[in-house]
């Protein structure tokens, strides 16, 4: 049913009793001039023979799924027949083809309301992230910057996509506990890319892993910090600084251009923002993903006086 292999682009062999083994593939692109984000995100549980995910499009102050131009996000759809992640057609309208392993990908999505066609071309080699601080989410995880080209057509309007973005792949046991609290932010240009995983520390946040790529040379992040500001409970600004293992540093200030929140997995609430990052040598676009287990989010909102 699931065709496995030893490539980052294929499904991986899994223990027969690992019902929580999860394979996920995410492609995220944007059109900053329209404050538009499009996600093509799917997860698979091979031991159960099911998959979920789909296509999400949000623009500006969309906020929640029922206000998004497109929110087709399925759960527990059965997998019928053989499925190869390197050349895959799903019955929800999604198609993925690996044109060049680890580098070039083509994806489409169609339903009666929307049409998405994107091409991803990597600008750096895939970055295999270690499990430190994220072992509940995956055994293996790949982040890779690249250029997206294509279009999103929805509600009678066609939006061109031509941006530097990111994709990711992950695999391994996935259990969402009650203590998840993690930030995941990134930004990309033709010559620069950064990725930062963060967690609360004192009055700010500690960046505990990630990478910095400058002029095609990438090194792991060894330290860093973030300060996240909110106004009336909404993200308004992020200031970050990080240092990689080569001693190179980066400072930046990010401002959100849109916002969207949903539960990508049971017990996991994720807030997503298209970000404009002001950096020493110019600006970059990317994201902030603010991840919470549902009980922690409720405690946070109660402490802030936002709910009873």
């Amino acid at each position: 049913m699931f065709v496995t292999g030893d490539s980052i682009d294929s499904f991986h062999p899994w223990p027969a009793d690992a019902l929580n083994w999860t394979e996920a593939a995410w492609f995220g692109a944007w059109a900053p001039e329209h404050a538009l984000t499009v996600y093509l995100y799917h997860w698979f549980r091979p031991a159960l023979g099911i998959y979920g995910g789909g296509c999400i499009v949000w623009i500006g102050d969309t906020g929640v799924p029922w206000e998004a131009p497109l929110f087709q996000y399925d759960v527990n759809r059965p997998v019928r027949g053989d499925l190869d992640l390197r050349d895959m057609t799903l019955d929800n309208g999604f198609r993925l083809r690996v044109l060049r392993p680890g580098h070039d990908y083509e994806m489409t999505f169609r339903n009666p309301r929307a049409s998405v066609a994107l091409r991803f071309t990597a600008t750096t080699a895939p970055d295999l992230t270690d499990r430190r601080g994220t072992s509940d989410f995956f055994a293996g995880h790949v982040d890779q910057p690249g250029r997206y080209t294509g279009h999103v057509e929805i509600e009678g309007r066609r939006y061109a996509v031509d941006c530097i973005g990111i994709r990711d792949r992950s695999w391994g046991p996935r259990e969402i506990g009650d203590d998840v609290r993690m930030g995941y932010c990134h930004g990309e240009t033709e010559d620069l890319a950064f990725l930062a995983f963060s967690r609360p520390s004192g009055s700010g946040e500690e960046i505990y892993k990630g990478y910095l790529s400058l002029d095609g040379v990438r090194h792991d992040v060894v330290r860093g910090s973030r300060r996240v500001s909110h106004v009336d409970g909404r993200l308004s600004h992020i200031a970050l600084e990080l240092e990689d293992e080569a001693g190179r540093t980066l400072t930046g200030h990010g401002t959100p251009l849109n916002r969207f929140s949903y539960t990508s997995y049971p017990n996991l609430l994720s807030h997503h923002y298209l970000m404009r990052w002001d950096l020493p040598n110019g600006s970059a676009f990317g994201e902030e993903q603010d991840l919470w287990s549902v009980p922690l989010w409720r405690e946070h909102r109660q402490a802030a006086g936002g709910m009873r």
Side-chain angles (χ1 to χ4, degrees), residues 19-151:
L19 300 183
N20 63 354
W21 185 275
T22 303
E23 301 256 358
W26 168 60
F27 297 89
W30 26 87
E33 64 274 22
H34 301 294
L36 177 148
T37 296
V38 53
Y39 273 14
L40 293 166
Y41 177 70
H42 291 84
W43 53 263
F44 305 84
R45 290 208 156 168
L48 298 175
I50 60 174
Y51 79 93
C55 181
I56 310 173
V57 178
W58 69 91
I59 302 173
D61 200 28
T62 295
V64 289
W66 47 92
E67 295 177 359
L70 181 65
F71 184 77
Q72 180 172 321
Y73 194 87
D74 299 307
V75 295
N76 302 339
R77 293 182 73 101
V79 172
R80 298 181 174 92
D82 292 337
L83 200 62
D84 189 333
L85 196 57
R86 294 160 293 193
D87 189 352
M88 176 179 73
T89 301
L90 298 176
D91 61 2
N92 68 349
F94 177 70
R95 172 104 193 265
L96 170 65
R97 288 198 305 147
V98 178
L99 304 178
R100 180 155 57 121
H103 199 274
D104 295 328
Y105 303 83
E106 183 180 81
M107 62 232 67
T108 58
F109 174 85
R110 290 183 178 86
N111 73 6
R113 296 187 55 245
S115 171
V116 177
L118 296 174
R119 170 82 178 255
F120 176 91
T121 303
T123 53
T124 74
D127 180 76
L128 183 60
T129 309
D130 66 46
R131 299 179 62 195
R132 178 168 44 95
T134 47
S135 59
D136 290 343
F137 285 87
F138 49 76
H141 186 275
V142 169
D143 294 285
Q144 186 173 32
R147 177 174 289 280
Y148 285 96
T149 55
H151 72 269

Side-chain angles (χ1 to χ4, degrees), residues 8-305:
I8 61 170
D9 292 320
S10 63
F11 292 114
H12 296 75
W14 68 92
D17 59 349
L19 300 183
N20 63 354
W21 185 275
T22 303
E23 301 256 358
W26 168 60
F27 297 89
W30 26 87
E33 64 274 22
H34 301 294
L36 177 148
T37 296
V38 53
Y39 273 14
L40 293 166
Y41 177 70
H42 291 84
W43 53 263
F44 305 84
R45 290 208 156 168
L48 298 175
I50 60 174
Y51 79 93
C55 181
I56 310 173
V57 178
W58 69 91
I59 302 173
D61 200 28
T62 295
V64 289
W66 47 92
E67 295 177 359
L70 181 65
F71 184 77
Q72 180 172 321
Y73 194 87
D74 299 307
V75 295
N76 302 339
R77 293 182 73 101
V79 172
R80 298 181 174 92
D82 292 337
L83 200 62
D84 189 333
L85 196 57
R86 294 160 293 193
D87 189 352
M88 176 179 73
T89 301
L90 298 176
D91 61 2
N92 68 349
F94 177 70
R95 172 104 193 265
L96 170 65
R97 288 198 305 147
V98 178
L99 304 178
R100 180 155 57 121
H103 199 274
D104 295 328
Y105 303 83
E106 183 180 81
M107 62 232 67
T108 58
F109 174 85
R110 290 183 178 86
N111 73 6
R113 296 187 55 245
S115 171
V116 177
L118 296 174
R119 170 82 178 255
F120 176 91
T121 303
T123 53
T124 74
D127 180 76
L128 183 60
T129 309
D130 66 46
R131 299 179 62 195
R132 178 168 44 95
T134 47
S135 59
D136 290 343
F137 285 87
F138 49 76
H141 186 275
V142 169
D143 294 285
Q144 186 173 32
R147 177 174 289 280
Y148 285 96
T149 55
H151 72 269
V152 175
E153 189 167 340
I154 190 165
E155 297 180 335
R157 184 170 180 182
R158 187 181 180 98
Y159 300 89
V161 174
D162 186 356
C163 69
I164 306 294
I166 197 170
R167 75 174 186 103
D168 87 358
R169 273 277 291 123
S170 61
W171 56 92
R174 180 161 297 187
E175 289 290 343
I176 309 299
D178 290 342
D179 58 351
V180 175
R181 178 71 179 90
M182 185 177 75
Y184 173 95
C185 71
H186 61 87
E188 296 83 27
T189 70
E190 293 279 3
D191 304 314
L192 176 147
F194 73 87
L195 171 69
F197 289 80
S198 62
R199 58 193 170 202
S201 177
S203 60
E205 294 186 9
E206 169 200 13
I207 296 174
Y208 62 94
K209 69 178 178 181
Y211 61 72
L212 176 60
S213 178
L214 297 173
D215 297 320
V217 179
R218 185 179 59 214
H219 289 288
D220 289 342
V221 167
V222 293
R223 63 182 61 85
S225 62
R226 306 194 326 164
R227 288 197 173 274
V228 181
S229 302
H230 295 81
V231 175
D232 297 329
R234 295 174 60 166
L235 177 67
S236 63
H237 180 258
I238 297 176
L240 65 81
E241 54 184 25
L242 55 84
E243 180 180 348
D244 69 17
E245 59 191 0
R248 304 177 305 177
T249 61
L250 179 72
T251 60
H253 300 270
T255 305
L257 302 181
N258 67 21
R259 68 186 183 104
F260 184 73
S261 301
Y262 77 117
T263 49
S264 51
Y265 292 89
N267 206 38
L268 182 67
L269 174 63
S270 53
H271 305 292
H272 300 255
Y273 308 87
L274 172 60
M275 301 291 291
R276 174 191 169 97
W277 297 100
D278 295 314
L279 306 172
N281 294 323
S283 62
F285 294 100
E287 286 190 299
E288 159 73 351
Q289 298 184 16
D290 185 19
L291 308 178
W292 297 73
S293 60
V294 170
L296 272 188
W297 176 251
R298 177 175 171 80
E299 291 175 11
H300 166 72
R301 293 286 287 149
Q302 286 178 319

